[in-house]
């Protein structure tokens, strides 16, 4: 059980690289609220493992038998609705990224990444899943929720995303699409900062488009800026939703 009394989320790690598979397994196991139920090296083994009661799959795109894209397709055909997918891959080509995002994973994390980056994604996912489960049980969907579900595959029920969206859409400048703006907002979180590259990958837009929309959101006060300082070079700019008043 987690600190809140809820059972831990069950994770299946799928990666053909033994070192990466072992490392990601350790990082997930060390994350509060998560437990690893399996670690496999192929797409076929991943599909065969879903009957273990998996909540989240960490899925690499480059697998020895079938691709990660094919795994996502077969999961959809099989109607695996309660199992989410976080793509963890070094694949950066537009075809692979767009095909993966079309299956509505909960994220696309580019390799290489560190333990903190993965754990940040896992914590954000856990919060999103709790909100989604609450929405499905108790909260009627409004028009904005329906539109967001159509464009992003997810629904946020807490105040920040709704407030940010409405504030950001007041007096949209020329060239800013409400639909794309909804997708950009849905890719952001009030706690975990995300870079323009991460937002672009999640929404399937170019980095330039993501930056244009993020700049608009900053100007309207819908999102905040933060910085991540590395060992060398300029700090990375991160974007977070402004908490609702």
């Amino acid at each position: 059980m987690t600190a809140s009394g809820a059972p831990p989320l069950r994770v299946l790690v799928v990666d053909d690289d033994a070192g990466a598979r072992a490392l990601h397994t350790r990082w997930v196991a060390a994350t509060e609220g998560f437990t690893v139920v399996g670690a496999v090296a192929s797409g076929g083994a991943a599909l065969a493992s879903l009957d273990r009661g998996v909540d989240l799959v960490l899925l690499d795109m480059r697998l020895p038998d079938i691709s990660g894209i094919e795994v996502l397709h077969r999961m959809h055909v099989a109607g695996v609705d309660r199992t989410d997918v976080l793509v963890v891959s070094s694949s950066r080509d537009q075809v692979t990224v767009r095909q993966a995002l079309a299956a509505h994973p909960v994220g696309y994390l580019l390799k290489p990444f560190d333990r903190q980056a993965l754990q940040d994604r896992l914590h954000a996912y856990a919060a999103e899943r709790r909100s989604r489960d609450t929405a499905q049980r108790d909260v009627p969907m409004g028009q904005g929720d329906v539109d967001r579900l159509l464009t992003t595959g997810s629904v946020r029920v807490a105040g920040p995303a709704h407030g940010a969206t409405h504030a950001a859409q007041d007096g949209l400048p020329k060239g800013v699409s409400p639909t794309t703006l909804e997708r950009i907002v849905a890719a952001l979180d009030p706690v975990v900062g995300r870079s323009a590259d991460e937002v672009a990958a999640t929404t399937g837009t170019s980095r330039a488009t993501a930056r244009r929309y993020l700049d608009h959101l900053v100007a309207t006060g819908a999102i905040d800026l933060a910085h991540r300082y590395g060992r060398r070079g300029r700090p990375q700019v991160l974007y977070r939703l402004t908490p609702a008043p």
Side-chain angles (χ1 to χ4, degrees):
M1 291 289 181
T2 63
S4 64
L9 294 170
R10 299 157 296 183
V11 179
L12 174 68
V13 178
V14 184
D15 200 304
D16 67 330
D17 184 288
R21 191 167 64 249
L23 187 63
H24 298 165
T25 296
R26 289 200 303 270
W27 289 351
V28 173
T31 306
E32 183 180 0
F34 291 85
T35 185
V36 177
V37 295
V40 298
S42 68
L47 294 169
S49 300
L50 293 179
D51 59 2
R52 301 180 187 178
V54 177
D55 296 306
L56 178 68
V57 179
L58 263 60
L59 180 65
D60 190 15
M61 290 289 96
R62 300 177 181 178
L63 300 171
D65 51 352
I66 59 176
S67 69
I69 298 297
E70 181 63 19
V71 172
L72 289 167
H73 173 70
R74 294 189 188 183
M75 288 177 64
H76 175 71
V77 171
V80 183
D81 298 324
R82 289 291 299 169
T83 300
D84 294 314
V85 174
L86 172 61
V87 176
V88 288
S89 178
S90 59
S91 297
R92 298 167 180 259
D93 62 282
Q94 291 192 24
V95 172
T96 299
V97 174
R98 289 182 181 277
Q99 287 181 332
L101 294 179
H104 299 296
V106 297
Y108 195 115
L109 190 56
L110 289 171
K111 296 179 180 177
F113 50 84
D114 58 19
R115 171 173 169 168
Q116 189 61 53
L118 177 59
Q119 291 185 324
D120 286 346
R121 290 298 182 100
L122 292 176
H123 289 313
Y125 163 70
E128 174 73 18
R129 185 171 178 118
R130 287 194 298 270
S131 295
R132 184 180 66 198
D133 290 345
T134 300
Q136 291 174 344
R137 289 196 308 267
D138 304 320
V139 182
M141 293 178 66
Q143 183 61 55
D145 295 322
V146 174
D147 294 341
R148 188 173 297 105
L149 183 62
L150 286 170
T151 57
T152 70
S154 65
V155 178
R156 291 177 181 267
V157 297
H162 289 281
T165 300
H166 293 313
Q169 286 190 359
D170 290 338
L172 289 180
K174 183 178 179 180
V176 175
S177 161
T179 300
T180 303
L181 188 63
E182 288 271 356
R183 291 164 59 194
I184 297 293
V185 171
L188 296 170
D189 187 87
V191 177
V192 180
R194 293 188 168 86
S195 69
D197 288 335
E198 291 173 327
V199 172
T202 300
T203 58
T205 60
S206 68
R207 188 181 189 279
T209 297
R211 275 296 306 273
R212 179 157 54 88
Y213 280 81
L214 290 167
D215 289 344
H216 168 71
L217 290 167
V218 171
T220 60
I223 64 176
D224 290 326
L225 290 179
H227 294 86
R228 177 188 294 152
Y229 291 89
R231 294 182 179 179
R232 300 177 59 187
R234 299 172 59 185
Q236 184 180 32
V237 179
L238 303 177
Y239 302 87
R240 295 181 300 201
L241 289 172
T242 301

